[in-house]
Amino acid sequence: MAFSSTSSLPVMKQTKPDAERTLLNAVEDRYGGVKVDVEDSMDCNVYVSLLRDSITQWRKQGKKGVWIKLPIHLANLVEPTVKEGFRYHHAESDYLMLVYWIPETPDTLPANASHTVGIGAFVVNDNREVLVVQEKNGAFKGKDVWKFPTGVANQGEDICKAAIREVKEETDIDTEFVEILAFSQTHQTFYGKSDLFFVCMLRPLSSDINKQASEIEAAQWMPIEEYIAQPFNQKRESFKNIANICLRKSRRNYTGFSAVAMASSSGKKSYSYFNKLQLQNENAN
């Protein structure tokens, strides 16, 4: 991503008719562009002058994309930045990122993140009972549908950890991650974003349910056959497919993707998901 930076550009000076002006501080990214973090308050007119001079200099240097990060306390600089040709790229709770493509070539700046990551937790105990909930809000409100605990992974959260957290939050059941059984991709979901939804199998480590009062209307352990037989599951192909996969898994006739911890060369931990059992069997042979 063009957010990454590798080296700092020095503060540069240009001779003006009456004064010597400092350009905006910037760092180079890996793709021939620059990134500017504006942190200090300044007069809008001064800012615009600095921005124009900086773009002129970056154009001479052959720079491409410009990323300007404006913290929320400098919201007064958003409008003048847009008037200089910048567009919104993305926003977080405390800043707005704007971008500008300098050369007269096709703009190749990467788009904002296009997907959210959702999880559904298939938690089955030794009695072949499934942990299910009814929600107080959302699409399933008032429909008398029993469903898996579901939720969205937080930024920087691994899928396996998100599944465990969501089950704990909604039902107070402790679990351990087993496998990803399936995943789906849908489009135009939350504010036009696409969604990757992962169905995860978890093993319960406790059994007493304490439902989340703010979001969950009811929660219980339900025989898996009863869960699958719900009219809602049988009338909708995607839900029926997932239900059948979970049924096969409960009969030990299906293998999903295990979470395998990895470490990058820098020591950063991450997870890969694959059919670990099959790989181990092949390596043994």
Side-chain angles (χ1 to χ4, degrees), residues 63-239:
K63 300 303 177 186
K64 298 177 181 178
V66 180
W67 302 76
I68 290 188
K69 181 179 180 182
L70 293 178
I72 195 167
H73 70 273
L74 297 182
N76 63 305
L77 300 182
V78 173
E79 183 178 358
T81 305
V82 172
K83 287 183 176 180
E84 293 303 310
F86 283 74
R87 68 177 188 275
Y88 294 174
H89 186 270
H90 69 274
E92 296 292 343
S93 60
D94 58 347
Y95 75 86
L96 173 66
M97 185 72 76
L98 300 100
V99 294
Y100 179 80
W101 186 253
I102 295 177
E104 295 181 3
T105 59
D107 185 340
T108 60
L109 290 174
N112 184 22
S114 59
H115 286 68
T116 57
V117 176
I119 62 94
F122 171 55
V123 185
V124 59
N125 62 22
D126 292 337
N127 298 322
R128 300 185 73 251
E129 295 173 322
V130 182
L131 181 63
V132 292
V133 300
Q134 288 184 338
E135 295 180 338
K136 286 186 175 182
N137 308 296
F140 293 95
K141 178 183 178 181
K143 293 186 177 180
D144 196 31
V145 174
W146 291 98
K147 58 183 286 293
F148 295 158
T150 58
V152 178
N154 294 326
Q155 182 171 314
E157 185 178 35
D158 295 302
I159 293 170
C160 53
K161 302 295 179 61
I164 292 171
R165 174 184 55 77
E166 285 291 347
V167 171
K168 182 66 174 178
E169 288 179 355
E170 294 190 3
T171 68
D172 202 32
I173 295 294
D174 295 312
T175 59
E176 62 179 356
F177 181 85
V178 179
E179 292 174 342
I180 290 176
L181 299 181
F183 70 91
S184 62
Q185 182 186 34
T186 55
H187 305 290
Q188 296 297 315
T189 54
F190 187 73
Y191 289 98
K193 298 294 184 182
S194 299
D195 178 68
L196 288 172
F197 186 82
F198 294 84
V199 179
C200 303
M201 181 179 181
L202 292 91
R203 183 178 296 109
L205 302 177
S206 60
S207 60
D208 294 335
I209 297 173
N210 181 23
K211 68 181 179 67
Q212 185 181 29
S214 60
E215 295 186 12
I216 303 302
E217 184 68 35
Q220 66 169 330
W221 292 101
M222 174 183 285
I224 189 169
E225 288 80 6
E226 184 179 340
Y227 165 77
I228 293 171
Q230 291 183 101
F232 187 91
N233 287 335
Q234 293 302 312
K235 292 178 180 179
R236 291 161 176 80
E237 184 177 12
S238 60
F239 283 82

Side-chain angles (χ1 to χ4, degrees), residues 245-264:
I245 287 173
C246 292
L247 178 62
R248 292 188 64 181
K249 182 63 182 180
S250 72
R251 295 172 176 170
R252 300 184 179 182
N253 193 25
Y254 184 91
T255 303
F257 292 164
S258 302
V260 180
M262 304 275 185
S264 67

